[in-house]
Amino acid sequence: MRTAPLGRGGVRATRLALGCAALGNLYRPVDDETAAATVDAAWDAGIRTFDTAPHYGLGLSERRLGAALRGRPRDTYTVSTKVGRLLVPYDGGGAGDDLAHGFAVPATHRRVWDFSGDGVRRSLEASLERLGLDRVDVVLLHDPDDHAEQALREGYPALERLRGEGVVGAIGVGMNQCALPARFLRETDIDVVLLAGRYTLLEQEGLADLLPEAAARGRNVVIGGVFNSGLLTDPGPGATYDYAPAPQAVLDRALRLKAVAERHGVALRSAALHFPFGHPAVASVLTGARSPEEVRDSVAQLRRPVPDAFWHELRAEGLLDPHAPVPSVR
């Protein structure tokens, strides 16, 4: 599978990357065998970039990903994890569950926000232990929405030092908003932004500031959430958007997108996977999967061409930002 650079340190990402939140039992349990088979299916399809975080299942995602990658040549794959939430054991914890945070795991730990330099290093050390690795390739400041100043003043310099020491190859920020990552691009020397849900077939907020800023500075963007929490896989009653029931106006827009796709013989999820690659700043698209079948479907959808006429009709119908670049089959 084709790769693209993430920063200037030699780190590369495959065109399609595997998001591993589901391996942390996002919303519902995934057994160990299915989690391992999901990573195996990604590997067999040529995916060599894997994104995880301590937040995902209170460390379960990192442990499962590390176990699934064990024995594979370390220089043949890229692992990205995140910092900003320390996992602190509960005294006598485990009696409840973590579903309030979206994960079907025992509540053995609590999350403590910490974007200090010490917190960054402690978080990364714990992640390496869970992953069973001596290094990761990419480290991202994870959702510093309410901690912007500490993340900029303390968290980022700590990551910069780790990159300078060769402990990590690329650093950045991962968020589901555009304004703060754009500020990081302007005020720091990050390599990459992971932008979730804000540059998709449904909405193109990232075009206003973040993506042009990244392109102008020669930085890379990884796009997550291309299905907008599942809405663009099969829009209909009960569909979710931003992890909540989709508002009617948003659902109606998704249904209009689906109708155009059907007129061109295109699966909506295929168009959603292809769309971000029209922008020159986009290096990779990150999709979550909780089964081998979901991995194989994403790979198959990305391999199916989307005709230029589809994008033309979206523009004509006012369903796509007129300034949004689109991929071409030519």
Short mmCIF file of all heavy atoms in Angstrom, two decimals, residues 90-124:
data_model
loop_
_atom_site.label_atom_id
_atom_site.label_comp_id
_atom_site.label_asym_id
_atom_site.label_seq_id
_atom_site.Cartn_x
_atom_site.Cartn_y
_atom_site.Cartn_z
N TYR A 90 -7.71 2.99 40.37
CA TYR A 90 -8.69 3.17 41.43
C TYR A 90 -8.32 2.23 42.57
O TYR A 90 -7.99 1.06 42.34
CB TYR A 90 -10.10 2.78 40.96
CG TYR A 90 -10.89 3.88 40.31
CD1 TYR A 90 -11.46 3.68 39.06
CD2 TYR A 90 -11.11 5.09 40.96
CE1 TYR A 90 -12.22 4.68 38.46
CE2 TYR A 90 -11.86 6.09 40.37
CZ TYR A 90 -12.41 5.87 39.13
OH TYR A 90 -13.17 6.84 38.54
N ASP A 91 -8.43 2.68 43.80
CA ASP A 91 -8.29 1.78 44.93
C ASP A 91 -9.52 0.89 44.98
O ASP A 91 -10.64 1.37 45.13
CB ASP A 91 -8.16 2.57 46.24
CG ASP A 91 -6.84 3.30 46.33
OD1 ASP A 91 -5.89 2.86 45.66
OD2 ASP A 91 -6.78 4.32 47.03
N GLY A 92 -9.28 -0.42 44.80
CA GLY A 92 -10.43 -1.32 44.78
C GLY A 92 -11.31 -1.15 43.57
O GLY A 92 -12.49 -1.49 43.59
N GLY A 93 -10.75 -0.59 42.51
CA GLY A 93 -11.53 -0.33 41.31
C GLY A 93 -11.88 -1.60 40.56
O GLY A 93 -11.45 -2.69 40.90
N GLY A 94 -12.70 -1.43 39.54
CA GLY A 94 -13.11 -2.56 38.71
C GLY A 94 -14.52 -3.02 38.98
O GLY A 94 -15.03 -3.89 38.28
N ALA A 95 -15.17 -2.44 40.00
CA ALA A 95 -16.53 -2.88 40.31
C ALA A 95 -17.51 -2.37 39.28
O ALA A 95 -18.49 -3.03 38.94
CB ALA A 95 -16.93 -2.39 41.71
N GLY A 96 -17.25 -1.16 38.74
CA GLY A 96 -18.13 -0.60 37.73
C GLY A 96 -17.54 -0.77 36.34
O GLY A 96 -16.62 -1.55 36.12
N ASP A 97 -18.12 -0.02 35.38
CA ASP A 97 -17.60 -0.07 34.02
C ASP A 97 -17.26 1.33 33.55
O ASP A 97 -17.51 2.32 34.25
CB ASP A 97 -18.59 -0.75 33.06
CG ASP A 97 -19.93 -0.01 32.99
OD1 ASP A 97 -19.92 1.23 32.84
OD2 ASP A 97 -20.98 -0.67 33.07
N ASP A 98 -16.68 1.40 32.37
CA ASP A 98 -16.20 2.66 31.83
C ASP A 98 -17.11 3.18 30.70
O ASP A 98 -16.68 4.00 29.90
CB ASP A 98 -14.76 2.47 31.31
CG ASP A 98 -14.05 3.77 30.96
OD1 ASP A 98 -14.04 4.68 31.81
OD2 ASP A 98 -13.54 3.88 29.82
N LEU A 99 -18.35 2.72 30.65
CA LEU A 99 -19.22 3.09 29.56
C LEU A 99 -19.56 4.58 29.55
O LEU A 99 -19.94 5.12 28.51
CB LEU A 99 -20.51 2.26 29.60
CG LEU A 99 -20.34 0.81 29.09
CD1 LEU A 99 -21.58 0.00 29.37
CD2 LEU A 99 -19.99 0.80 27.60
N ALA A 100 -19.43 5.24 30.68
CA ALA A 100 -19.65 6.69 30.69
C ALA A 100 -18.65 7.40 29.78
O ALA A 100 -18.92 8.49 29.27
CB ALA A 100 -19.53 7.23 32.11
N HIS A 101 -17.49 6.78 29.58
CA HIS A 101 -16.49 7.31 28.67
C HIS A 101 -16.51 6.59 27.32
O HIS A 101 -15.64 6.81 26.48
CB HIS A 101 -15.09 7.19 29.29
CG HIS A 101 -14.91 8.03 30.51
ND1 HIS A 101 -15.07 7.54 31.78
CD2 HIS A 101 -14.60 9.35 30.65
CE1 HIS A 101 -14.85 8.51 32.66
NE2 HIS A 101 -14.57 9.61 32.00
N GLY A 102 -17.47 5.67 27.14
CA GLY A 102 -17.64 5.03 25.84
C GLY A 102 -17.02 3.67 25.68
O GLY A 102 -17.09 3.09 24.59
N PHE A 103 -16.43 3.10 26.76
CA PHE A 103 -15.70 1.84 26.59
C PHE A 103 -16.25 0.77 27.54
O PHE A 103 -16.42 1.00 28.74
CB PHE A 103 -14.21 2.06 26.84
CG PHE A 103 -13.58 2.96 25.82
CD1 PHE A 103 -13.48 4.33 26.05
CD2 PHE A 103 -13.14 2.46 24.61
CE1 PHE A 103 -12.94 5.18 25.09
CE2 PHE A 103 -12.60 3.30 23.64
CZ PHE A 103 -12.50 4.66 23.89
N ALA A 104 -16.51 -0.40 26.97
CA ALA A 104 -17.07 -1.52 27.73
C ALA A 104 -15.96 -2.31 28.39
O ALA A 104 -15.65 -3.45 28.02
CB ALA A 104 -17.90 -2.41 26.80
N VAL A 105 -15.33 -1.68 29.39
CA VAL A 105 -14.25 -2.31 30.16
C VAL A 105 -14.48 -2.01 31.64
O VAL A 105 -15.16 -1.05 31.99
CB VAL A 105 -12.85 -1.77 29.73
CG1 VAL A 105 -12.56 -2.14 28.29
CG2 VAL A 105 -12.76 -0.27 29.94
N PRO A 106 -13.92 -2.82 32.53
CA PRO A 106 -14.03 -2.52 33.95
C PRO A 106 -13.35 -1.19 34.29
O PRO A 106 -12.31 -0.85 33.72
CB PRO A 106 -13.30 -3.69 34.63
CG PRO A 106 -13.31 -4.78 33.61
CD PRO A 106 -13.24 -4.10 32.28
N ALA A 107 -13.94 -0.47 35.21
CA ALA A 107 -13.40 0.84 35.60
C ALA A 107 -12.28 0.68 36.60
O ALA A 107 -12.38 1.07 37.77
CB ALA A 107 -14.51 1.72 36.17
N THR A 108 -11.18 0.11 36.14
CA THR A 108 -10.03 -0.15 37.02
C THR A 108 -9.18 1.09 37.24
O THR A 108 -8.38 1.13 38.18
CB THR A 108 -9.14 -1.25 36.42
OG1 THR A 108 -8.76 -0.85 35.08
CG2 THR A 108 -9.89 -2.57 36.35
N HIS A 109 -9.30 2.07 36.34
CA HIS A 109 -8.49 3.28 36.41
C HIS A 109 -9.39 4.50 36.19
O HIS A 109 -10.49 4.40 35.66
CB HIS A 109 -7.39 3.28 35.35
CG HIS A 109 -6.33 2.25 35.57
ND1 HIS A 109 -6.56 0.90 35.43
CD2 HIS A 109 -5.02 2.39 35.92
CE1 HIS A 109 -5.44 0.23 35.69
NE2 HIS A 109 -4.50 1.11 35.98
N ARG A 110 -8.87 5.64 36.58
CA ARG A 110 -9.51 6.90 36.21
C ARG A 110 -8.52 7.71 35.37
O ARG A 110 -7.31 7.54 35.48
CB ARG A 110 -9.93 7.69 37.45
CG ARG A 110 -8.81 8.05 38.39
CD ARG A 110 -9.34 8.63 39.70
NE ARG A 110 -8.25 8.90 40.62
CZ ARG A 110 -7.59 10.05 40.70
NH1 ARG A 110 -7.94 11.05 39.92
NH2 ARG A 110 -6.60 10.21 41.56
N ARG A 111 -9.06 8.56 34.52
CA ARG A 111 -8.23 9.39 33.64
C ARG A 111 -7.98 10.73 34.33
O ARG A 111 -8.91 11.37 34.81
CB ARG A 111 -8.94 9.62 32.31
CG ARG A 111 -9.20 8.34 31.53
CD ARG A 111 -10.15 8.62 30.37
NE ARG A 111 -10.41 7.43 29.57
CZ ARG A 111 -11.31 6.52 29.87
NH1 ARG A 111 -12.04 6.64 30.98
NH2 ARG A 111 -11.50 5.47 29.08
N VAL A 112 -6.73 11.15 34.32
CA VAL A 112 -6.36 12.45 34.89
C VAL A 112 -5.70 13.27 33.78
O VAL A 112 -4.67 12.86 33.22
CB VAL A 112 -5.39 12.28 36.08
CG1 VAL A 112 -4.94 13.65 36.59
CG2 VAL A 112 -6.06 11.48 37.19
N TRP A 113 -6.28 14.42 33.46
CA TRP A 113 -5.70 15.27 32.44
C TRP A 113 -4.34 15.79 32.91
O TRP A 113 -4.21 16.27 34.03
CB TRP A 113 -6.61 16.47 32.16
CG TRP A 113 -7.88 16.13 31.46
CD1 TRP A 113 -9.12 16.04 32.02
CD2 TRP A 113 -8.05 15.84 30.08
NE1 TRP A 113 -10.06 15.71 31.07
CE2 TRP A 113 -9.42 15.59 29.86
CE3 TRP A 113 -7.17 15.78 28.98
CZ2 TRP A 113 -9.94 15.28 28.61
CZ3 TRP A 113 -7.69 15.46 27.74
CH2 TRP A 113 -9.05 15.22 27.55
N ASP A 114 -3.34 15.68 32.06
CA ASP A 114 -2.01 16.17 32.42
C ASP A 114 -1.19 16.40 31.15
O ASP A 114 -0.74 15.44 30.52
CB ASP A 114 -1.29 15.18 33.33
CG ASP A 114 -0.04 15.75 33.98
OD1 ASP A 114 0.51 16.73 33.42
OD2 ASP A 114 0.41 15.22 35.00
N PHE A 115 -1.04 17.67 30.78
CA PHE A 115 -0.22 18.03 29.63
C PHE A 115 1.10 18.66 30.06
O PHE A 115 1.74 19.37 29.28
CB PHE A 115 -0.99 18.99 28.70
CG PHE A 115 -2.11 18.32 27.96
CD1 PHE A 115 -3.41 18.35 28.45
CD2 PHE A 115 -1.87 17.64 26.78
CE1 PHE A 115 -4.45 17.74 27.77
CE2 PHE A 115 -2.91 17.01 26.08
CZ PHE A 115 -4.21 17.06 26.58
N SER A 116 1.51 18.42 31.31
CA SER A 116 2.81 18.91 31.77
C SER A 116 3.91 18.09 31.12
O SER A 116 3.68 17.00 30.59
CB SER A 116 2.91 18.81 33.29
OG SER A 116 2.96 17.44 33.69
N GLY A 117 5.13 18.61 31.18
CA GLY A 117 6.26 17.86 30.65
C GLY A 117 6.41 16.52 31.33
O GLY A 117 6.64 15.49 30.67
N ASP A 118 6.28 16.51 32.66
CA ASP A 118 6.39 15.25 33.39
C ASP A 118 5.25 14.32 33.02
O ASP A 118 5.46 13.11 32.85
CB ASP A 118 6.37 15.53 34.90
CG ASP A 118 6.47 14.26 35.72
OD1 ASP A 118 7.51 13.58 35.64
OD2 ASP A 118 5.49 13.93 36.43
N GLY A 119 4.06 14.88 32.87
CA GLY A 119 2.91 14.05 32.50
C GLY A 119 3.08 13.42 31.13
O GLY A 119 2.71 12.25 30.93
N VAL A 120 3.63 14.17 30.19
CA VAL A 120 3.87 13.63 28.85
C VAL A 120 4.82 12.45 28.91
O VAL A 120 4.58 11.39 28.31
CB VAL A 120 4.41 14.74 27.93
CG1 VAL A 120 5.04 14.15 26.66
CG2 VAL A 120 3.29 15.71 27.56
N ARG A 121 5.92 12.60 29.62
CA ARG A 121 6.90 11.52 29.71
C ARG A 121 6.33 10.31 30.44
O ARG A 121 6.54 9.16 30.01
CB ARG A 121 8.18 12.01 30.40
CG ARG A 121 9.05 12.88 29.49
CD ARG A 121 10.39 13.19 30.12
NE ARG A 121 11.25 13.92 29.20
CZ ARG A 121 12.11 13.36 28.37
NH1 ARG A 121 12.23 12.05 28.32
NH2 ARG A 121 12.87 14.09 27.57
N ARG A 122 5.61 10.53 31.52
CA ARG A 122 5.03 9.41 32.26
C ARG A 122 4.01 8.67 31.41
O ARG A 122 3.94 7.44 31.42
CB ARG A 122 4.38 9.91 33.55
CG ARG A 122 5.39 10.33 34.61
CD ARG A 122 4.71 11.11 35.73
NE ARG A 122 3.61 10.34 36.33
CZ ARG A 122 2.63 10.89 37.04
NH1 ARG A 122 2.60 12.21 37.23
NH2 ARG A 122 1.69 10.14 37.57
N SER A 123 3.20 9.42 30.66
CA SER A 123 2.20 8.80 29.80
C SER A 123 2.86 7.94 28.73
O SER A 123 2.45 6.81 28.47
CB SER A 123 1.33 9.87 29.16
OG SER A 123 0.36 9.30 28.32
N LEU A 124 3.90 8.48 28.09
CA LEU A 124 4.57 7.73 27.04
C LEU A 124 5.25 6.49 27.60
O LEU A 124 5.18 5.41 26.98
CB LEU A 124 5.59 8.62 26.33
CG LEU A 124 6.38 7.97 25.20
CD1 LEU A 124 5.46 7.38 24.14
CD2 LEU A 124 7.34 8.97 24.57
#
